[in-house]
Amino acid sequence: MVNLNRVIKDIETLSSFNATPENGVTRLSFTKEDKMAREYIREQMKNAGLKVWEDGYSNLFGRREGKDPDAPVIMIGSHFDSVINGGAFDGVAGLVAALEVLRVFEEKNIETYYPIEVVAMNDEEGVRFGTGVSNSRAMVGLMDEEELDRVMDRDGVSLRKAMENFGITPDLKNAKRPEGSIKAFIELHIEQGPILEDNDKDIGLVETIVGLDRYDVKIKGKSGHAGTTPMNNRQDALVIASKLILSVNRIAKEVGDGTVGTVGEIQVSPNASNVIPGHVEFSVDVRSTKEENIKRVYDEFLKEIDNIKEEEDIDIEITKSLYVPPVNMSEEIIDTMEKISNRLGYKYMRMNSGAGHDAMNMAKIAETSMIFVPSKNGLSHHPDEWTDYEDLKKGIEVMLNTVLELR
Ligand code: HGY
Ligand code: MN
Ligand code: MN
């Protein structure tokens, strides 16, 4: 029933709304690429006969009524923002899958009991403002007015200003979904790792999504002349940052148990080859399926900072930018998807998600589950990110049948 040509056209068209066509996909939140993608998605929702609107955080919805218009909704969808120089499938594959499910229902005249809403989210990666999974946090009431003014992009534009410049008046009250209004949230997503491919499986049924702890570290040293300043008289912010960055890597390995720690973003100023770096700011991203592991990394990292402060005359500030605990998916829906995968003859496995997703917030207010489809060579957040369309089709069939069978 799934029309793969429509799916391919959507994915290829959305990847063209891109700030770096020469190097992967870059589509950050509330940018012109966001606007172009959003208009395309809105048009596809309208063509599918859906009622279309945006909420107070700019989540874009397409709704198809069911037998009982007052019943809670089954929400399906994903995000369409990207990282910098990322791939064409992260988020978009799940959004297009959800669109295709509703197009099939429309053309086959399939009536569901529950109303179904496709949601298109534009701030999951959090690359522009250094946060993440913002759309789902707005829906579950974990965004507040203070954050809209506090978080800034690299040009110092606040999230609120960016939304207003984009033509949106943020209304978090409107974006927060009433208790009990969502029966289930199902998100199809590329696995972004090698497990399905290594185990020759078609479908991944996610049991637990890792907890995600993100913090920013600011180091204030003293800039100076690279040639005339003696080595024993320096407050080199980049040397201190380097020690701390290496400690993130060491501590995550020491904690082990699948814990990961990454420093992916760094800014050095004045960032000139003949000037001692006076100021450095970098991100820390820590994940584990166990909260205690995430806490251990943070505690050990704080000790590292204290040791350095004792030895060096330097100012080090650490601020939390995002924390989402590990979350388990709905056993009931996983069970349904296992039966459907068996019936369709698809090889599946239960697994955890090392990537964060909006599903980890939606699980706070609805029965939530994720369907993974294989990533070629386990690659993601990379221009060569790829999922074979026949594999994606299997994931969409599982999603379609799950939506039909949810009671
Ligand atoms: O960072 C993540 O895990 C996701 O891709 N946003
Ligand atoms: Mn994603
Ligand atoms: Mn991603």
Side-chain angles (χ1 to χ4, degrees):
M1 295 207 276
V2 169
N3 178 327
L4 212 43
N5 291 331
R6 281 191 301 230
V7 168
I8 295 169
K9 176 176 164 285
D10 283 350
I11 290 175
E12 290 178 351
T13 307
L14 283 166
S15 67
S16 69
F17 307 127
N18 176 9
T20 58
E22 74 294 340
N23 182 10
V25 175
T26 304
R27 184 167 52 247
L28 303 190
S29 316
F30 306 113
T31 59
K32 65 178 183 322
E33 293 77 25
D34 176 338
K35 180 96 59 193
M36 293 189 283
R38 184 184 292 269
E39 288 323 308
Y40 177 80
I41 296 162
R42 184 194 300 274
E43 191 195 324
Q44 301 315 309
M45 287 178 168
K46 286 218 173 85
N47 296 345
L50 306 180
K51 184 179 142 234
V52 183
W53 78 97
E54 283 184 2
D55 72 5
Y57 192 79
S58 93
N59 288 307
L60 178 59
F61 293 95
R63 179 182 168 106
R64 184 170 190 270
E65 290 306 335
K67 270 197 197 94
D68 178 355
D70 302 324
V73 300
I74 294 176
M75 191 182 285
I76 54 180
S78 192
H79 65 95
F80 63 94
D81 62 315
S82 75
V83 293
I84 298 170
N85 305 130
F89 292 81
D90 180 354
V92 165
L95 172 56
V96 171
L99 258 177
E100 180 59 18
V101 165
L102 287 195
R103 283 192 285 235
V104 169
F105 287 172
E106 196 60 13
E107 66 185 14
K108 304 286 181 210
N109 209 9
I110 294 170
E111 193 186 27
T112 57
Y113 174 75
Y114 295 98
I116 317 283
E117 285 179 12
V118 177
V119 60
M121 298 179 274
N122 74 322
D123 195 22
E124 187 273 345
E125 300 287 2
V127 167
R128 180 172 174 189
F129 299 100
T131 52
V133 289
S134 311
N135 306 84
S136 48
R137 286 192 293 122
M139 277 193 259
V140 305
L142 288 174
M143 281 289 275
D144 55 26
E145 295 294 329
E146 179 271 339
E147 179 172 347
L148 297 179
D149 297 308
R150 171 172 47 82
V151 298
M152 306 259 169
D153 67 10
R154 287 187 186 168
D155 300 324
V157 178
S158 74
L159 174 51
R160 185 189 300 278
K161 200 85 199 95
M163 292 175 88
E164 286 166 353
N165 296 343
F166 195 73
I168 292 160
T169 310
D171 178 348
L172 294 177
K173 277 199 190 62
N174 164 279
K176 186 174 182 310
R177 301 296 290 239
E179 281 294 303
S181 66
I182 304 177
K183 169 175 175 54
F185 177 79
I186 304 175
E187 181 172 8
L188 180 148
H189 202 286
I190 57 171
E191 180 207 333
Q192 300 183 290
I195 296 169
L196 289 177
E197 204 174 47
D198 291 352
N199 291 277
D200 185 28
K201 300 291 182 194
D202 304 309
I203 300 287
L205 301 179
V206 176
E207 293 186 301
T208 302
I209 302 178
V210 288
L212 178 65
D213 198 14
R214 274 192 192 149
Y215 26 106
D216 282 325
V217 180
K218 287 192 177 88
I219 300 171
K220 218 163 133 344
K222 198 164 143 230
S223 57
H225 197 297
T228 57
T229 313
M231 291 310 284
N232 61 2
N233 181 22
R234 294 184 175 208
Q235 292 158 274
D236 185 329
L238 189 51
V239 167
I240 302 303
S242 311
K243 289 180 182 172
L244 286 173
I245 291 167
L246 286 172
S247 75
V248 170
N249 190 277
R250 173 179 53 77
I251 295 165
K253 285 177 185 164
E254 283 166 2
V255 171
D257 192 22
T259 305
V260 291
T262 312
V263 174
E265 183 178 353
I266 186 166
Q267 273 121 33
V268 181
S269 71
N271 203 24
S273 62
N274 56 355
V275 180
I276 301 167
H279 186 92
V280 172
E281 189 169 341
F282 62 84
S283 64
V284 182
D285 176 307
V286 177
R287 310 196 188 188
S288 171
T289 52
K290 297 194 185 95
E291 256 190 315
E292 62 267 26
N293 292 343
I294 294 172
K295 192 172 171 338
R296 259 189 70 197
V297 173
Y298 187 64
D299 293 345
E300 291 302 313
F301 188 64
L302 289 183
K303 281 185 206 148
E304 197 66 29
I305 289 177
D306 291 343
N307 294 340
I308 289 177
K309 278 182 170 174
E310 269 163 36
E311 290 157 24
E312 310 274 347
D313 170 19
I314 202 134
D315 187 35
I316 305 174
E317 188 195 306
I318 180 167
T319 43
K320 287 266 183 152
S321 52
L322 179 68
Y323 179 68
V324 186
V327 65
N328 295 325
M329 299 288 94
S330 157
E331 193 45 50
E332 192 191 330
I333 301 181
I334 294 172
D335 189 50
T336 302
M337 296 200 287
E338 280 184 315
K339 292 188 177 79
I340 290 167
S341 301
N342 277 326
R343 196 173 70 227
L344 295 174
Y346 299 157
K347 294 172 285 181
Y348 72 88
M349 64 186 281
R350 287 169 170 250
M351 61 190 290
N352 291 333
S353 172
H357 300 283
D358 286 298
M360 53 198 188
N361 289 317
M362 298 309 289
K364 291 178 177 57
I365 61 168
E367 289 291 301
T368 295
S369 69
M370 291 197 78
I371 301 165
F372 274 0
V373 290
S375 291
K376 203 158 187 55
N377 306 319
L379 210 47
S380 181
H381 285 189
H382 186 282
D384 295 343
E385 180 182 275
W386 178 263
T387 290
D388 287 344
Y389 285 116
E390 285 305 325
D391 287 343
L392 178 52
K393 184 167 184 245
K394 290 175 184 169
I396 301 173
E397 299 284 6
V398 171
M399 176 181 254
L400 187 149
N401 285 280
T402 303
V403 168
L404 283 178
E405 293 186 22
L406 278 190
R407 287 288 169 265

